[in-house]
Amino acid sequence: MTVQEKPLPVRTVPARTRSRGFAFTPTVVVYLALAVLLVVGSVLVALRGGVLLDQAGLLNIFTRATALGLVAIGQTIVILAGSLDLSVAYLVGLTSLVAAETMAGQAGMIVPGVLLALAVAAVVGLVNGLVITVLRANAFIATLGVALVLRGYLEHNYTGPAGEVPRTFQHLGYDRVGPVPVAALLMLGIAAMCWWLLTRSRPGYHLYAVGGDLEVARLSGVRTRRTIVTAHVLCSVAAGLAGIYLASRLGSGAPYVGTDAGFDLESIAAVVLGGTLLAGGRGGVVGTIGGVFILATLDTVFDDLAVDPFFKDVVRGVVLVTAVALYARRTVRRQS
Amino acid sequence: MSFRPRLAEGTAPVLVVLVVLLVGLAIAGPAYSSPEGYLALLKRAAPLMILAIGQYFVIVSGGFDLSVGALVTAGVVIAARLIDGEDSATAWVILLVLAFGLLVGLVNGLVTTVLLVPSFIVTLGMLLVLDGAVFLWTGGAPRGALSPGFREFGRGAVDVPLLGEVPWSVLILLAILAAAVLFMRGGTGRALVAVGDNEQAVRLSGGRVNRLRLLAFVLSGLLAAVAAILLGGFAGVSAQVGAGLEFRAITAVVLGGVLLGGGRGSVVAATAGALSLEALFTLLNLLGVAGALESAVQGVIIIGAVAYASLGVGLRHRFTRTTTKQPATASG
């Protein structure tokens, strides 16, 4: 599962840094960057006579962050385990279709629809995990292959949106508490659960161990295969939740809702932006959420400034590389 | 080509796959009973094979290049805008496209080696930047047109004594492949593989790790530019010309038994992987697998082939040990 170059030498943060009580961990840097971005963005938008963080702006940021956030949470889990999932974008489309078609506009079918969508997602995750662990295909290729299979299925069976979610289910996508959408709160709740799972539970420790060094973890008695499969199932279920959320927002299932948004690479970008090491073993969900909000805020600022959409891509690319360059620099300096 | 008695580790499975596919083609399509059919296949496959050679350099040295697809699109779109149908502009635009590829590779390599950003992220960022910048420049859709002279490389052919009409792209491919094989047999090529295997060891034994990795990215960028010129000629100008090519090239390389993460695999096998992939697409077409299902079948086969390659490691070791008794190592 070495989808990456050799991990950077980052055995860090011994007692010295901790005793100071505060360290510039990547997570802290992400949130500082987010704060700076919010300030700079507000100033820029204000210069053009708008307000970034008004009701509509906040709503925009949270809405953008919800779907990407769910996918990125899952992606964090697999990346921490030293794996990677390129199939999430198509899976989001597939689950949105499964949910919407099962519901078919009937309020009574909401629960079966959601459950079936999650079950489909879990099966896809299981396949990903088994292909990687049992067939020993590289994660990059395995999930790319599964993505192609899903794409073939979608292209063969759908030409456009299908299915319909009942009116009541759309509350999930549109209700809000003050300026904050309910779905965003649910996403943050799921992030909190994952944070607990990763940092406070045995499976979480195993995940970090497997991502840090597969062989060492195996020799220490961790069931590495089971851990990797579990990580992939969780990742796919998270992508499934994103699909369900998008179905509720769009009112129907859309085959290309995930790929149009580029969720596969975008979610990896968010994870890495959040300070998680692409090679696995270091990082966490908290940073990822910061990364997601940075991307969402960038998009919202650009919308408010009416920037050319192509320019967004350029900036996004530069931000991504710059951020990771800063982390890399820091870890190296601390090492020497 | 270089089907020598001693095969590099990992070459055997992909050759088996390739032969099976070629035999399948011969059975399925009447066009493939003559050499012309295979030459046409080779012509179609040439851009991907060239991309795979470039990708091989990066992967074997332990990196990733996700930017090649966007670079191909950028190359074609830039060429079309600058040439705008003028035949006289062909020469310098070709040079410019090559220089552009070189420059992109250089930036990828420098950010990876100097700023220590993982190449996956660097080239992902480059993908976003190129995609955005090119369309920002052209205003959303490709403009202009390629000149006939420019397109000649992608679709024209030359008379070669003994062989008859051979497409330009096949000749270019063969030249690049031969150069790549020679390069990988030389000291620099071996050092490149060593970097992917154990960077620390290369550094301690005096190898210039950063320079080698930089070289790999520059070569990948340059070859992507060559592929852009061929694809522009072959397929014409479109904003989609390079879409997904990065994944296809990586798949081809992995199909060739090259280890993601570096240090193992041969360039011939990577190229054979690309040819197999193209043969696979052709075969699926001939068998009438509908366009939509094609990617599903492709996905299953890719997983199968990679799984076969990695599960067969033990078997392959035995195979290579008996065939490579000679002192020479087998990375070519």
Side-chain angles (χ1 to χ4, degrees):
Chain A
M1 263 109 290
T2 40
V3 275
Q4 241 300 300
E5 38 260 77
K6 306 288 170 277
L8 294 168
V10 279
R11 295 284 105 196
T12 45
V13 210
R16 186 171 59 84
T17 346
R18 200 173 295 153
S19 62
R20 257 190 263 148
F22 182 80
F24 277 98
T25 61
T27 314
V28 176
V29 177
V30 176
Y31 283 93
L32 282 179
L34 179 59
V36 170
L37 179 65
L38 283 172
V39 171
V40 173
S42 299
V43 171
L44 284 178
V45 174
L47 285 180
R48 294 190 40 135
V51 185
L52 175 65
L53 292 179
D54 57 359
Q55 182 94 347
L58 277 175
L59 191 63
N60 199 346
I61 292 178
F62 276 113
T63 307
R64 282 172 192 277
T66 305
L68 179 61
L70 286 168
V71 180
I73 290 169
Q75 194 73 260
T76 311
I77 296 176
V78 280
I79 289 183
L80 280 177
S83 189
L84 176 98
D85 194 344
L86 292 174
S87 68
V88 283
Y90 288 106
L91 183 58
V92 167
L94 179 66
T95 48
S96 77
L97 284 165
V98 170
E101 289 200 316
T102 311
M103 289 177 199
Q106 296 159 3
M109 291 301 279
I110 290 180
V111 175
V114 169
L115 290 181
L116 191 63
L118 291 182
V120 167
V123 168
V124 171
L126 191 66
V127 170
N128 275 334
L130 289 179
V131 168
I132 291 167
T133 53
V134 177
L135 296 183
R136 287 204 260 151
N138 181 288
F140 188 97
I141 297 296
T143 56
L144 188 61
V146 170
L148 286 173
V149 172
L150 293 180
R151 175 178 151 192
Y153 176 79
L154 289 176
E155 282 180 354
H156 193 62
N157 293 300
Y158 299 96
T159 48
E164 191 194 346
V165 306
R167 205 108 198 85
T168 43
F169 190 60
Q170 293 214 316
H171 285 299
L172 172 67
Y174 287 95
D175 276 5
R176 51 198 162 94
V177 185
V180 185
V182 172
L185 292 177
L186 289 176
M187 184 272 284
L188 291 175
I190 289 167
M193 268 163 55
C194 283
W195 172 82
W196 180 86
L197 179 81
L198 287 171
T199 57
R200 297 286 185 275
S201 79
R202 185 187 297 248
Y205 298 149
H206 286 178
L207 206 72
Y208 278 96
V210 168
D213 193 319
L214 187 76
E215 206 50 24
V216 170
R218 197 177 62 77
L219 293 173
S220 325
V222 176
R223 292 174 192 273
T224 53
R225 285 186 172 191
R226 188 181 293 181
T227 308
I228 290 171
V229 172
T230 311
H232 272 282
V233 171
L234 288 177
C235 172
S236 294
V237 168
L241 287 172
I244 293 168
Y245 163 71
L246 286 171
S248 121
R249 266 199 82 79
L250 299 173
S252 64
Y256 303 115
V257 64
T259 40
D260 286 346
F263 276 147
D264 37 11
L265 295 179
E266 196 90 337
S267 64
I268 295 175
V271 171
V272 173
L273 208 55
T276 296
L277 219 58
L278 197 49
R282 285 192 81 81
V285 168
V286 181
T288 299
I289 296 298
V292 167
F293 273 98
I294 286 183
L295 290 176
T297 309
L298 265 182
D299 271 349
T300 307
V301 170
F302 286 146
D303 274 1
D304 282 2
L305 295 177
V307 166
D308 190 304
F310 299 118
F311 185 65
K312 277 194 220 173
D313 274 347
V314 177
V315 173
R316 212 181 283 170
V318 172
V319 165
L320 180 63
V321 174
T322 315
V324 180
L326 290 178
Y327 301 152
R329 268 256 160 294
R330 222 176 28 76
T331 40
V332 168
R333 209 182 310 137
R334 197 189 289 160
Q335 239 227 336
S336 54
Chain B
M1 291 187 284
S2 63
F3 297 164
R4 300 237 182 151
R6 52 194 174 87
L7 290 171
E9 185 188 3
T11 313
V14 70
L15 290 184
V16 171
V17 170
L18 181 58
V19 167
V20 168
L21 284 169
L22 291 182
V23 169
L25 274 179
I27 296 170
Y32 293 94
S33 52
S34 67
E36 283 82 40
Y38 290 100
L39 216 51
L41 172 69
L42 210 53
K43 178 183 171 186
R44 254 197 327 279
L48 183 63
M49 290 166 83
I50 291 172
L51 280 178
I53 294 174
Q55 190 72 246
Y56 165 80
F57 291 134
V58 177
I59 288 184
V60 90
S61 64
F64 261 112
D65 194 346
L66 294 179
S67 67
V68 289
L71 182 52
V72 166
T73 309
V76 172
V77 171
I78 289 174
R81 173 103 192 254
L82 290 181
I83 291 181
D84 209 9
E86 296 277 342
D87 223 355
S88 56
T90 305
W92 69 266
V93 169
I94 285 182
L95 284 181
L96 190 96
V97 169
L98 291 177
F100 183 69
L102 206 77
L103 179 73
V104 169
L106 196 67
V107 172
N108 278 339
L110 282 177
V111 177
T112 307
T113 53
V114 178
L115 297 182
L116 302 172
V117 181
S119 59
F120 190 96
I121 301 299
V122 177
T123 55
L124 175 60
M126 184 56 88
L127 181 161
L128 291 172
V129 170
L130 282 177
D131 264 353
V134 163
F135 290 105
L136 196 61
W137 182 53
T138 56
R143 278 190 250 162
L146 297 170
S147 62
F150 188 93
R151 299 200 62 171
E152 181 66 17
F153 292 107
R155 53 180 183 183
V158 276
D159 258 326
V160 177
L162 298 176
L163 289 172
E165 291 259 295
V166 178
W168 270 111
S169 54
V170 174
L171 292 179
I172 294 172
L173 165 71
L174 290 180
I176 290 175
L177 183 60
V181 169
L182 282 180
F183 172 74
M184 290 315 288
R185 290 190 183 227
T188 319
R190 283 167 199 226
L192 201 63
V193 180
V195 168
D197 196 23
N198 191 337
E199 193 183 318
Q200 201 64 21
V202 175
R203 186 169 292 139
L204 292 176
S205 52
R208 294 167 188 272
V209 172
N210 280 355
R211 201 175 284 188
L212 287 165
R213 304 186 79 182
L214 185 61
L215 179 67
F217 280 102
V218 169
L219 287 174
S220 175
L222 187 64
L223 290 177
V226 173
I229 292 170
L230 296 186
L231 266 178
F234 186 73
V237 187
S238 98
Q240 298 296 318
V241 64
L245 275 182
E246 63 279 357
F247 285 129
R248 228 177 244 197
I250 293 174
T251 308
V253 171
V254 175
L255 208 56
V258 179
L259 201 67
L260 284 184
R264 298 269 182 291
S266 85
V267 66
V268 176
T271 322
L275 184 57
S276 308
L277 212 55
E278 201 62 45
L280 173 66
F281 296 142
T282 312
L283 186 61
L284 289 179
N285 256 334
L286 279 176
L287 293 177
V289 176
L293 265 187
E294 192 184 279
S295 66
V297 176
Q298 187 195 340
V300 170
I301 289 179
I302 287 167
I303 292 177
V306 173
Y308 162 71
S310 67
L311 285 177
V313 161
L315 190 139
R316 214 165 51 203
H317 266 294
R318 227 174 305 140
F319 178 77
T320 42
R321 208 171 304 142
T322 48
T323 47
T324 60
K325 265 283 183 238
Q326 290 92 341
T329 60
S331 52

